[in-house]
Structures are given as structure tokens and as C-alpha cells.
């Protein structure tokens, strides 16, 4: 069954708006900030903040989103992505996925940082790969090759320059 946001653009818009407002609400809670303080920072009424946070005002433009995020010490990124689901049968990826992925690769600030993080991750995986096939098998050569293996890394090819893949 297709995701509910596949019905039309309006349902997708509502989902994105809800996700953004949920992020603001979470930040208010974790920062222990009251709506009154946020309203003061934004130079708007408490009622205006309440309308946004209660989804009574869902026609947020990008300028308003940036103002709210900055007032809470956050940033906004608008990301269009292709997840090979053109009919939107599986729905959009929520902001938590992007946040977790960003955290996992070391909070890169630019594309070069991403490349460095990826290279470091690959180096670590090569080390695990070499450990499995090199150290473990040479140290315990008379024992079964499954002792101490990391089976979830079994398909990682060793493609370091100047080396050959292990059989």
C-alpha cells in the first residue's frame, strides 16, 4: 500500500511541515525554553509562536523557518533527494535519518570533510578485513577459519592500493 504522502503534493507538504515543527518543539523542550522566550527572540507575539507550534499556521515560508530555527540555535537545510521511489510509495525520509547520518559520518562541514570521513571509515574496514583474513588465520592456522571471524564484514573487498583481494 502506498505511503499516505503519495496522494498529492498537499499531503507531502503537510508531512514536511509537521516534521519541521516537531524539530522546533523538540529543541524547545531540550533547551528548556518557553514559547514566551522564543516569541521575544523572534519579536512576534506568543500567539504567533503558538500557532506555528500547534500547526495552526502551516503555511511556513523558508524565511520564517530560518528565523525560527536560528532563534533556537539551529540551522535549516532544504534537501531534495532521489531515493529511487518516484511514485513516493514508501514516503519521505524524515529529518532524523539525515541527522543520524550526519552525526555518524562525523558532522562534516563540507564535501571534502565527507570524503575524509569516508576514507577513514574505509581504512577502518580494511583493517578489520585484514585482521580477519591475515592475523586470525595465520595465528590459528590449524583451527577452523570461522573462529573469531566477524561475519558481518565478510563481503568487504580489500581494494587498498598495492594489495590483492583475499580469497
Amino acid at each position: 500500500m502506498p505511503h499516505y504522502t503519495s496522494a498529492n503534493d498537499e499531503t507531502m507538504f503537510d508531512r514536511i511541515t509537521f516534521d519541521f515543527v516537531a524539530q522546533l518543539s523538540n529543541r524547545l523542550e531540550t533547551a528548556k525554553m518557553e514559547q514566551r522566550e522564543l516569541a521575544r527572540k523572534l519579536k512576534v507575539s506568543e500567539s504567533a509562536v503558538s500557532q506555528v507550534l500547534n500547526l495552526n499556521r502551516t503555511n511556513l515560508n523558508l524565511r520564517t523557518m530560518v528565523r525560527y530555527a536560528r532563534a533556537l540555535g539551529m540551522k535549516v537545510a532544504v534537501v531534495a533527494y532521489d531515493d529511487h521511489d518516484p511514485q513516493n510509495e514508501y514516503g519521505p525520509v524524515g529529518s532524523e535519518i539525515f541527522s543520524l547520518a550526519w552525526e555518524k559520518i562525523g558532522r562534516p562541514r563540507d564535501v571534502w570533510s565527507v570524503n575524509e570521513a569516508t576514507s577513514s571509515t574505509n581504512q577502518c574496514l580494511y583493517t578489520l578485513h585484514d585482521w580477519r583474513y591475515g592475523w586470525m588465520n595465520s595465528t590459528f592456522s590449524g583451527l577452523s577459519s570461522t573462529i573469531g571471524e566477524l561475519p558481518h564484514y565478510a563481503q568487504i573487498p580489500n581494494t587498498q592500493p598495492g594489495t590483492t583481494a583475499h580469497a
Side-chain angles (χ1 to χ4, degrees):
M1 186 160 114
H3 193 264
Y4 77 93
T5 60
S6 66
N8 56 48
D9 290 345
E10 192 65 27
T11 58
M12 180 69 86
F13 176 79
D14 289 344
R15 169 63 171 83
I16 293 167
T17 302
F18 176 79
D19 184 62
F20 178 75
V21 170
Q23 292 173 72
L24 296 178
S25 295
N26 287 340
R27 183 57 168 240
L28 268 173
E29 187 177 317
T30 59
K32 296 183 178 11
M33 183 186 295
E34 295 186 16
Q35 289 184 22
R36 161 180 346 136
E37 186 179 345
L38 179 57
R40 184 183 54 73
K41 284 184 167 193
L42 291 167
K43 298 180 180 162
V44 299
S45 68
E46 285 183 55
S47 174
V49 169
S50 179
Q51 287 176 6
V52 168
L53 295 176
N54 291 311
L55 295 169
N56 294 331
R57 181 177 170 214
T58 59
N59 190 13
L60 298 175
N61 63 40
L62 190 54
R63 186 175 315 280
T64 301
M65 294 170 76
V66 168
R67 288 185 64 232
Y68 271 74
R70 288 187 64 154
L72 289 166
M74 301 169 74
K75 296 179 181 173
V76 175
V78 177
V79 179
Y81 61 96
D82 179 6
D83 63 355
H84 306 288
D85 178 26
Q87 303 305 315
N88 193 32
E89 293 180 25
Y90 304 109
V93 173
S95 60
E96 65 279 358
I97 299 296
F98 288 103
S99 294
L100 288 171
W102 180 67
E103 291 281 343
K104 189 170 187 158
I105 61 172
R107 299 174 147 213
R109 306 309 303 167
D110 52 41
V111 72
W112 294 278
S113 299
V114 172
N115 290 339
E116 288 171 13
T118 303
S119 176
S120 296
T121 301
N122 287 342
Q123 283 298 106
C124 177
L125 294 177
Y126 292 138
T127 302
L128 287 171
H129 180 80
D130 291 340
W131 172 80
R132 175 182 177 213
Y133 289 105
W135 179 82
M136 181 51 85
N137 288 341
S138 65
T139 304
F140 297 101
S141 59
L143 301 175
S144 165
S145 64
T146 59
I147 293 176
E149 287 185 345
L150 301 173
H152 54 284
Y153 290 109
Q155 299 301 315
I156 298 171
N158 189 350
T159 56
Q160 287 179 303
T163 63
T164 57
H166 297 283

